Amino acid sequence: MLLALLHRSFRRARALLMALAAVLAAFQVLVVLAAGYLHQQGGFSQVVALLPPMAQQLMGGVFSSFGSMVAFGYFHPVVIIVMVGLAIVVASEPAADVESGVVDLVLARPIRRGHLVTRSLLMLLLTTSIIASLMVAASWSSLQMLAPPGASLRAAVVAKLATNLVAVAWAAGALALAVASLAKRRGAAAGGVAIVVLALYLLNVLAEINPRIRPYAPLSPFHYYQPIGIVSGMGTRWAGDVSLLVGVAAVFAAVAFVAYSKRDL
């Protein structure tokens, strides 16, 4: 029965998943092409010089080399928003089941409530992992075929960036799963979590430029995604950051199971 529920969720979301996978994979190819052009033209220093001082502080490292710019495909704000947004949407399905009345039909059969939460948790884990894997495959193949001589980015760095990005998405998605396990409407659950996650993203950005806000940065899951450090080899916190994010996701998932098993349906 769990497989049937999972198949139904994949079938309902396949158009969205295929579109996002295609866009994000194509984005990685375009980033490699753009980085290769700047590398051949020697234009990285000119791009950095054109940025205003505040942008240089935030983005100067991104445009410092071919590898850094290719890595940007994994922490571009749009890419992060899409991955986290996808996680929130797929994880909020328990609230959609209640809102549409599907939960009454499903639970009329001999099935445990926890299977519905397990279904959404698997959707969260599988969809984000599959799309991230496609992004890595697009980057790797592009680097092999399109990178100019002397320009490269190690596959291990790309894998670390993708893994850390997925861990951030899991933390946000698991929060959405916990909220959706208590909510009656998907829009309210997913929308509320999206607003909270956006606020936490802005908190992390502001903490980078404002020392007064910096002490609060650890409250944001994005604080535990340090792509520049990973690319430069200075990101020694990578394993700890990923472990912490996965741990947070596990706690929210546990809350979702308990909440859904006790709620009044």
Side-chain angles (χ1 to χ4, degrees):
M1 189 61 185
L2 178 59
L3 290 178
L5 291 171
L6 193 60
H7 179 261
R8 175 178 177 273
S9 296
F10 264 112
R11 189 175 69 245
R12 294 180 64 185
R14 63 185 176 187
L16 172 65
L17 296 175
M18 292 174 65
L20 292 181
V23 169
L24 291 177
F27 185 74
Q28 304 311 316
V29 177
L30 293 175
V31 168
V32 172
L33 283 171
Y37 174 78
L38 288 177
H39 178 82
Q40 290 177 319
Q41 300 298 319
F44 288 112
S45 59
Q46 298 176 22
V47 172
V48 174
L50 290 174
L51 296 175
M54 183 176 294
Q56 287 185 15
Q57 181 181 351
L58 290 174
M59 306 296 295
V62 173
F63 300 107
S64 62
S65 67
F66 175 84
S68 297
M69 188 168 175
V70 172
F72 190 40
Y74 291 84
F75 59 95
H76 189 287
V78 173
V79 174
I80 293 177
I81 289 172
V82 170
M83 284 292 287
V84 172
L86 169 66
I88 292 173
V89 170
V90 298
S92 62
E93 196 169 5
D97 293 337
V98 175
E99 183 177 9
S100 63
V102 170
V103 68
D104 297 327
L105 299 175
V106 174
L107 294 183
R109 309 184 69 176
I111 179 176
R112 295 179 179 177
R113 287 189 179 192
H115 282 185
L116 293 173
V117 180
T118 303
R119 176 273 325 266
S120 294
L121 181 59
L122 289 175
M123 279 292 291
L124 167 64
L125 302 181
L126 292 174
T127 55
T128 50
S129 298
I130 290 171
I131 288 182
S133 298
L134 292 173
M135 291 167 60
V136 171
S139 294
W140 184 83
S141 57
S142 301
L143 288 168
Q144 297 300 313
M145 295 185 292
L146 304 175
S152 64
L153 178 64
R154 290 187 295 117
V157 172
V158 176
K160 284 185 176 181
L161 289 168
T163 302
N164 213 152
L165 176 60
V166 168
V168 173
W170 283 4
L175 173 61
L177 179 62
V179 174
S181 296
L182 291 167
K184 294 182 179 180
R185 297 185 181 280
R186 187 179 204 169
V193 172
I195 292 172
V196 170
V197 172
L198 178 60
L200 292 173
Y201 179 79
L202 294 176
L203 169 65
N204 188 57
V205 172
L206 293 174
E208 293 288 336
I209 57 179
N210 190 334
R212 292 184 176 181
I213 301 177
R214 199 161 297 159
Y216 302 102
L219 298 174
S220 171
F222 303 99
H223 175 71
Y224 305 98
Y225 185 26
Q226 301 292 333
I228 297 297
I230 295 172
V231 175
S232 66
M234 303 296 289
T236 55
R237 293 178 4 192
W238 177 80
D241 289 344
V242 171
S243 299
L244 189 146
L245 290 167
V246 173
V248 169
V251 170
F252 283 135
V255 170
F257 277 104
V258 173
Y260 202 75
S261 65
K262 295 182 178 299
R263 72 175 296 182
D264 182 12
L265 293 172

